[in-house]
Amino acid sequence: MKSKLQVMKFGGTSVGDASCIARAAQIVSRAARENGVVVVVSAMTGVTNRLVEAATRAGLGDAQAGSALIEALRAQHHDALAALVPAGDARSAVVRRVDETLAEGHRLFEGTALLREVTPRALDSISSLGERLCAPIFASALSELGIRGVAIEATELIITDSYHGGAEPLIDVTRERCEARLRPLLKENAVPVVTGFIGATREGTLTTLGRGGSDYSATILASGLGADEVVIWTDVDGVLTADPRLVPDARIIPEISYREAAELAYFGAKVLHPKTLRAVMPAGIPVWIRNSFSPEQPGTMISRQGRSIGGGVKALTAIRDVALISVGGPGIVGVPDVVGRTFSTTAELRANVLLISQSSSQNDICFIVAASDAQRTVERLRREFAQDLSHEVVDHITVDPKIAIVAVVGENMRGTPGIAGRTFNALGREGVNIIAIAQGSSEANISFVVEDKAVKQALLATHREFGLGAPESNRSQAI
Ligand code: ADP
Ligand code: ASP
Ligand code: MG
């Protein structure tokens, strides 16, 4: 009887080439000696971006982009497979499966180029190819190590609504599917290797969970199976106090709560897909973030309580590629439905509103949406408020695309006075101009809006102010 059940997810860089897959397979084979393991794999690094790019070009009528990419992917995946599995029946079976998936991809690109339109449904099918190519290769690498790896497409397991590009799982039916398909394999000591990122509707149409969604796939499966833990293997040693690409002295956080990690993910920390923790929070399943390139490092444990460190700020994050929309004018004071109409409009468009701020004089409502939603949101708002604009009740609806949100996160900030003051003093000293401020009533985060070009400076100043880069023994004094 295996002692526990783990779901292990390997991100794109962790399966980036044959040597990475071999390293990842070693990690799984060591764990599988003691525990039941379900593996979730991403596409090899960069593959999904290339697929999306070629789909866009096919949508403009360029059939060539798709066929060139299919051939490049064939070479890349055949090479990886050849380095992992010796010639023979096992390798041939995987080659056949890879080639079938590529043939399907080819047809999808052809159809898209012919129609000159990338429908959301076609885009999901095209962008799913990377995971579908990777899973059988990973499974065969495991079999080489004496562990029976079984590649499974998540369309069989994760049943979702039909919202292409960001589908939501239907948990009850997903649970039934996981039990029926995965439990018997686990009983036979096999290791299912499931494609991340994708699911299917009840009718069997492929959907995706959104970019970076393999993290979410892992927690959905963990919840479906009632697993004991999830390990997200990536290319950093754990959750850091800030994005290491922007703050070089960012440090590993050994433990963090679901709430804190969810706030970080929501405000752009790429290490976790924003919805990842939703699936495991009710059952309290812990999630580890670990480095597949340094498996000896302990990583970060994300759990319900997540031991608090110091008195307040735990980490910082920034979200870029967002736009600030402002609806205002002196005439909106006392017009009760401006707020309601503004946000009914964003809701109708399914534009994700990331932050809202209203000045106390009520002359202005500003809010932030993803840059990709900005143009259509402004157009629709101008239509909604056409009359008010012509009567100058509303005098402007503007959009500022070159901005970013910085969030200061920590559950223990609650009840620690002065954090907002210190943050803004530090930014003031550095000459960083703050465009808007919002603090959730939970007080687990303070977020502020700055110009995009000031993001790095804002992060560095705040990181320094709260001593987040200092050794842990100094940190509690610094806070
Ligand atoms: P994977 O391909 O494994 O899913 P991602 O590239 O999606 O990996 O996420 C890992 C990356 O997230 C890291 O390489 C790091 O650059 C970035 N990152 C951003 N913010 C943080 C943070 N606070 N802690 C750790 N990594 C972060
Ligand atoms: N391959 C997908 C992406 O690049 C999913 C993932 O990596 O999590 O978005
Ligand atoms: Mg990721």
Side-chain angles (χ1 to χ4, degrees):
M1 184 67 187
K2 301 272 176 143
S3 54
K4 61 179 174 185
L5 177 58
Q6 294 179 302
V7 176
M8 290 194 164
K9 176 256 172 177
F10 292 88
T13 43
S14 301
V15 292
D17 60 23
S19 66
C20 295
I21 296 176
R23 195 176 303 113
Q26 285 288 354
I27 291 173
V28 173
S29 85
R30 273 197 297 274
R33 269 179 238 138
E34 315 238 313
N35 307 320
V37 181
V38 174
V39 171
V40 173
V41 287
S42 289
M44 291 170 85
T45 184
V47 168
T48 315
N49 283 345
R50 285 153 73 200
L51 287 163
V52 171
E53 230 169 80
T56 311
R57 292 187 42 194
L60 299 170
D62 175 1
Q64 192 46 39
S67 25
L69 178 59
I70 293 290
E71 288 323 307
L73 293 178
R74 192 185 317 279
Q76 181 180 355
H77 290 83
H78 282 193
D79 286 354
L81 179 65
L84 290 160
V85 182
D89 289 349
R91 196 210 277 179
S92 305
V94 181
V95 167
R96 269 198 303 282
R97 189 153 170 186
V98 163
D99 285 348
E100 272 164 27
T101 304
L102 290 168
E104 200 182 315
H106 196 262
R107 288 195 297 277
L108 284 164
F109 278 119
E110 269 183 349
T112 303
L114 201 64
L115 290 171
R116 289 177 173 264
E117 185 192 4
V118 202
T119 62
R121 184 170 169 165
L123 185 60
D124 271 358
S125 294
I126 290 174
S127 48
S128 75
L129 295 168
E131 273 71 11
R132 297 176 58 209
L133 293 167
C134 185
I137 298 174
F138 195 109
S140 64
L142 277 180
S143 300
E144 283 305 302
L145 298 176
I147 305 276
R148 199 178 134 226
V150 181
I152 298 181
E153 304 215 341
T155 42
E156 288 188 54
L157 304 172
I158 298 181
I159 306 306
T160 70
D161 64 15
S162 59
Y163 189 67
H164 287 285
E168 274 301 326
L170 308 173
I171 275 303
D172 289 341
V173 23
T174 297
R175 183 168 294 130
E176 282 164 25
R177 297 286 185 99
C178 289
E179 277 301 325
R181 182 74 173 100
L182 301 181
R183 192 72 69 189
L185 290 171
L186 290 165
K187 285 203 177 118
E188 294 162 12
N189 290 328
V191 171
V193 179
V194 182
T195 54
F197 183 46
I198 66 182
T201 63
R202 281 176 197 273
E203 295 72 37
T205 305
L206 188 144
T207 52
T208 66
L209 307 176
R211 292 304 308 271
S214 297
D215 301 327
Y216 194 25
S217 308
T219 53
I220 292 168
L221 294 181
S223 148
L225 286 166
D228 296 287
E229 65 182 30
V230 178
V231 188
I232 294 185
W233 292 97
T234 180
D235 61 353
V236 279
D237 286 342
V239 177
L240 295 154
T241 49
D243 185 338
R245 291 166 297 185
L246 294 169
V247 181
D249 72 336
R251 290 169 62 90
I252 300 297
I253 304 170
E255 288 184 32
I256 188 167
S257 70
Y258 286 139
R259 276 274 294 287
E260 291 167 327
E263 296 273 359
L264 286 176
Y266 179 76
F267 284 106
K270 194 182 171 221
V271 66
L272 272 184
H273 183 273
K275 292 180 187 165
T276 310
L277 298 170
R278 252 189 224 180
V280 285
M281 278 167 80
I285 302 169
V287 176
W288 289 87
I289 308 292
R290 298 186 61 182
N291 191 343
S292 70
F293 298 87
S294 316
E296 69 291 349
Q297 298 288 335
T300 296
M301 184 176 76
I302 308 172
S303 65
R304 202 171 265 157
Q305 56 287 358
R307 189 172 60 94
S308 54
I309 298 167
V313 175
K314 207 149 184 184
L316 312 175
T317 181
I319 183 161
R320 305 175 92 162
D321 289 327
V322 290
L324 178 81
I325 294 177
S326 145
V327 177
I332 74 165
V333 180
V335 179
D337 63 346
V338 174
V339 175
R341 281 160 66 200
T342 301
F343 294 112
S344 312
T345 307
T346 57
E348 259 169 49
L349 292 172
R350 282 187 91 148
N352 190 9
V353 177
L354 294 156
L355 180 149
I356 302 171
S357 168
Q358 181 173 19
S359 61
S360 57
S361 66
Q362 296 183 12
N363 282 350
D364 237 341
I365 306 160
C366 22
F367 60 95
I368 300 222
V369 293
S372 53
D373 288 334
Q375 201 47 42
R376 61 194 183 101
T377 306
V378 168
E379 277 163 18
R380 185 70 84 81
L381 282 171
R382 288 197 177 129
R383 242 181 293 147
E384 169 65 34
F385 287 106
Q387 280 213 333
D388 309 78
L389 283 163
S390 67
H391 295 136
E392 291 172 18
V393 176
V394 172
D395 78 358
H396 67 263
I397 297 178
T398 53
V399 57
D400 181 351
K402 293 201 174 63
I403 57 112
I405 307 174
V406 174
V408 176
V409 171
E411 210 152 8
N412 286 358
M413 293 190 334
R414 199 182 352 224
T416 309
I419 292 192
R422 283 179 64 185
T423 307
F424 300 129
N425 275 335
L427 294 171
R429 275 198 303 276
E430 293 287 325
V432 175
N433 180 34
I434 301 167
I435 300 170
I437 301 168
Q439 173 167 17
S441 58
S442 70
E443 291 184 47
N445 103 57
I446 299 171
S447 13
F448 51 93
V449 179
V450 295
E451 281 183 89
D452 188 67
K453 62 176 195 271
V455 162
K456 186 166 177 165
Q457 212 183 352
L459 287 171
L460 288 171
T462 322
H463 204 255
R464 199 175 319 120
E465 174 65 28
F466 292 106
L468 295 177
E472 232 166 74
S473 53
N474 301 346
R475 188 181 298 174
S476 49
Q477 293 160 12
I479 289 175

